[in-house]
């Protein structure tokens, strides 16, 4: 029985539409290539979590459509399954993001899961290469006793949010994309008297100065990323 869902927010890779703050350094094609590689890296590194039969991964995408997303990411999943042929993983599901801003899209993704009787959910993006399986497991563990789990990013946002029940107020009146997202979210948590568990502060790869985080992973970068 599925009790936990890891939700990965990402975007179908189209030049000029992804990692736009990196375009001045990498060009449109370089930026979209980086986005693709980081999304694939995130998914592949976290698929092991699906060996837990109580957990599933849902990929929530913007841009493209279900067929394009499957054509892009299903080879990654198939490769993982070939190397774990002795085990079974729960199917990876694909969902279009719905909502006029990031907050509404996050809220809708949580509501989808709670409406399907999922007990614990975590939402992440694909911009944080240092996010690993141990931190995801820690976040799910923290939801046994905490209302909210946050993974603070050093740019003032967060790379992870986890809930075990719906708190739609967390996603209202937030300046998405700014350096105030985490502080504004924490203020709402305090006002609502919710408990919160903080994971370590990590860095999202959003700007040229952040590229060293990705380079440190040594995942076969070509010269344009060096």
């Amino acid at each position: 029985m599925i009790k936990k869902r890891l939700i990965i927010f990402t975007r179908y890779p189209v030049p000029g539409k992804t990692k736009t703050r990196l375009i001045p350094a990498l060009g449109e094609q370089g930026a979209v290539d980086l986005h693709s590689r980081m999304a694939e890296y995130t998914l592949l590194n976290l698929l092991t979590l699906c060996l837990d039969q109580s957990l599933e991964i849902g990929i929530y995408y913007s841009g493209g459509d279900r067929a394009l997303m499957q054509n892009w990411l299903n080879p990654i999943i198939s490769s993982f399954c070939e190397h774990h042929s002795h085990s079974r993983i729960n199917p990876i599901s694909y969902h279009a993001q719905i909502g006029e801003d990031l907050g509404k899209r996050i809220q809708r993704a949580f509501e989808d899961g709670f409406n399907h009787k999922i007990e614990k959910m975590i939402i992440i993006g694909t911009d944080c290469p240092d996010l690993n399986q141990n931190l995801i497991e820690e976040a799910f563990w923290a939801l046994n006793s905490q209302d909210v789990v946050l993974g603070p990013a050093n740019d003032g946002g967060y790379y992870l949010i986890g809930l075990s029940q719906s708190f739609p107020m967390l996603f209202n009146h937030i300046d998405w994309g700014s350096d105030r997202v985490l502080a504004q979210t924490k203020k709402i948590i305090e006002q609502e008297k919710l408990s919160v568990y903080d994971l370590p502060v990590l860095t999202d790869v959003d700007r040229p100065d952040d590229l060293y985080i990705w380079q440190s992973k040594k995942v076969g970068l070509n010269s344009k990323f060096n």
Side-chain angles (χ1 to χ4, degrees), residues 79-97:
S79 175
F80 175 87
C81 291
E82 288 174 5
H83 287 86
H84 295 81
S85 57
H86 59 287
S87 302
R88 183 179 68 86
I89 70 170
N90 291 311
I92 310 300
S93 58
Y94 293 85
H95 313 260
Q97 296 177 23

Side-chain angles (χ1 to χ4, degrees), residues 107-127:
Q107 181 182 340
R108 179 63 179 266
F110 275 126
E111 289 175 353
D112 284 349
F114 290 130
N115 288 340
H116 286 86
K117 310 303 182 185
I118 305 297
E119 296 178 3
K120 301 175 187 176
M121 281 182 288
I122 290 168
I123 293 181
I124 64 170
T126 60
D127 297 334

Side-chain angles (χ1 to χ4, degrees), residues 20-95:
T20 55
R21 284 177 285 186
L22 288 171
I23 289 175
L26 301 178
E28 288 189 356
Q29 190 60 50
V32 78
D33 288 346
L34 178 62
H35 166 76
S36 298
R37 296 286 295 283
M38 289 202 299
E40 294 161 8
Y41 178 83
T42 299
L43 178 60
L44 185 59
N45 278 353
L46 298 179
L47 277 171
T48 305
L49 292 164
C50 289
L51 298 176
D52 175 353
Q53 293 299 299
S54 69
L55 183 145
E56 66 179 8
I57 289 179
I59 296 172
Y60 281 67
Y61 61 89
S62 62
D65 55 32
R66 187 186 305 270
L68 288 171
M69 292 297 298
Q70 290 174 331
N71 288 339
W72 170 32
L73 294 177
N74 277 2
I76 303 294
I77 299 166
S78 297
S79 175
F80 175 87
C81 291
E82 288 174 5
H83 287 86
H84 295 81
S85 57
H86 59 287
S87 302
R88 183 179 68 86
I89 70 170
N90 291 311
I92 310 300
S93 58
Y94 293 85
H95 313 260

Side-chain angles (χ1 to χ4, degrees), residues 147-170:
D147 295 317
V148 185
V149 176
L150 289 174
N154 67 2
D155 62 1
Y158 54 77
Y159 60 84
L160 176 153
I161 183 166
L163 301 176
S164 57
Q165 60 179 297
S166 181
F167 296 114
M169 74 288 291
L170 294 176

Side-chain angles (χ1 to χ4, degrees), residues 190-204:
E190 182 179 356
Q191 289 172 341
E192 298 293 327
K193 296 182 171 55
L194 304 177
S195 58
V196 60
Y197 183 92
D198 287 324
L199 295 169
V201 177
L202 298 180
T203 300
D204 283 335

Side-chain angles (χ1 to χ4, degrees), residues 21 155-158 174-182 184 207:
R21 284 177 285 186
D155 62 1
Y158 54 77
I174 301 292
D175 296 322
W176 300 107
S178 76
D179 59 3
R180 299 180 294 279
V181 171
L182 181 64
Q184 290 172 336
R207 299 174 176 84

